[in-house]
Amino acid sequence: MDYTVSQVVSLISHIHTSTQDFINKKLSSSQKSHFVSSHGYILFLLSKKSMTMGELTSVINRDKSTTTVLIKKLKDEGLVKVQVNPQDTRSRILSLTAKGKKMNELTSSISCQLLDLCYKGFSDEEKENLLKLLKKMSENVDWELSSQNQSYSEEE
C-alpha cells in the first residue's frame, strides 16, 4: 500500500502488527508458540535488573491485571521467580530464573534479527533521524494524553 503523510499512524500500526507477527512466528518455530512478544520484552527488562510488579507495569505500559497475567505465564513456565518484597510485604519482586535467562537469549536473538530486517538499507544517520522523529511523535501523543487525564481529574 502507498501511505501518505496523513496515514502515518496507520503505517506505524501496520509495522507494529508485522513485527509482532515476525516475532511470534520465530517463537513458534522454536516451540515457544504460547509466548508473545510482551513476554520477551519482560524477560529482557528482568535480565537487566529485578523489578517490582509496579515498576514493571509502569515500564511496559500495561495495566496491573495484564501484567499479572503475563507474569503468571512466565512464572508457570519456570522463567520468572516472584518473591515477597522484604521492604513491603504487599509488593512482589520479579527476577529471572536460569531457564528465564536462557529464554532471554533466544528472544534477544530474535529481536536482533528483527532490527536487522527493519533497518535494512538504512544509514546510521537515517536510523537516528527516524528515532528522533518517532520520539517527537510519541512525546506529542503522551503530552496530549497526560493533559486530558489532568482535565478529567480536575472535573471530578
Side-chain angles (χ1 to χ4, degrees):
M1 178 175 182
D2 242 356
Y3 289 94
T4 64
V5 171
S6 64
Q7 296 171 314
V8 70
V9 175
S10 293
L11 176 57
I12 292 169
S13 177
H14 170 77
I15 293 167
H16 175 74
T17 300
S18 296
T19 58
Q20 300 292 31
D21 290 346
F22 177 91
I23 292 168
N24 292 336
K25 282 180 183 172
K26 290 287 185 177
L27 286 172
S28 70
S29 70
S30 63
Q31 284 72 46
K32 303 295 181 193
S33 58
H34 53 284
F35 279 79
V36 294
S37 58
S38 296
H39 291 122
Y41 186 47
I42 291 169
L43 294 176
F44 169 75
L45 291 170
L46 294 178
S47 75
K48 303 297 177 199
K49 68 173 189 152
S50 296
M51 303 174 94
T52 66
M53 284 286 279
E55 290 170 332
L56 183 65
T57 298
S58 177
V59 171
I60 67 171
N61 197 26
R62 299 284 189 265
D63 60 42
K64 289 178 184 179
S65 62
T66 300
T67 303
T68 300
V69 169
L70 290 166
I71 291 301
K72 182 179 181 338
K73 179 164 232 127
L74 293 172
K75 181 181 177 218
D76 291 349
E77 292 290 325
L79 303 172
V80 170
K81 181 171 43 175
V82 180
Q83 297 176 298
V84 174
N85 185 345
Q87 297 169 346
D88 179 358
T89 57
R90 297 168 298 168
S91 175
R92 301 291 178 261
I93 297 176
L94 311 170
S95 59
L96 290 185
T97 63
K99 185 177 176 183
K101 290 175 185 174
K102 284 185 181 177
M103 182 63 168
N104 180 58
E105 291 173 13
L106 170 65
T107 57
S108 292
S109 170
I110 292 169
S111 292
C112 287
Q113 292 171 39
L114 177 59
L115 279 175
D116 288 344
L117 175 65
C118 287
Y119 285 136
K120 186 177 179 179
F122 279 61
S123 68
D124 287 344
E125 184 179 352
E126 287 172 322
K127 292 175 191 178
E128 289 298 325
N129 286 336
L130 176 62
L131 177 61
K132 187 169 130 181
L133 294 169
L134 289 172
K135 284 168 86 174
K136 186 175 184 177
M137 188 180 285
S138 178
E139 289 165 3
N140 290 342
V141 174
D142 289 346
W143 182 86
E144 180 64 25
L145 288 173
S146 69
S147 296
Q148 288 177 3
N149 287 341
Q150 287 176 349
S151 296
Y152 293 135
S153 63
E154 288 172 3
E155 291 174 7
E156 292 175 357

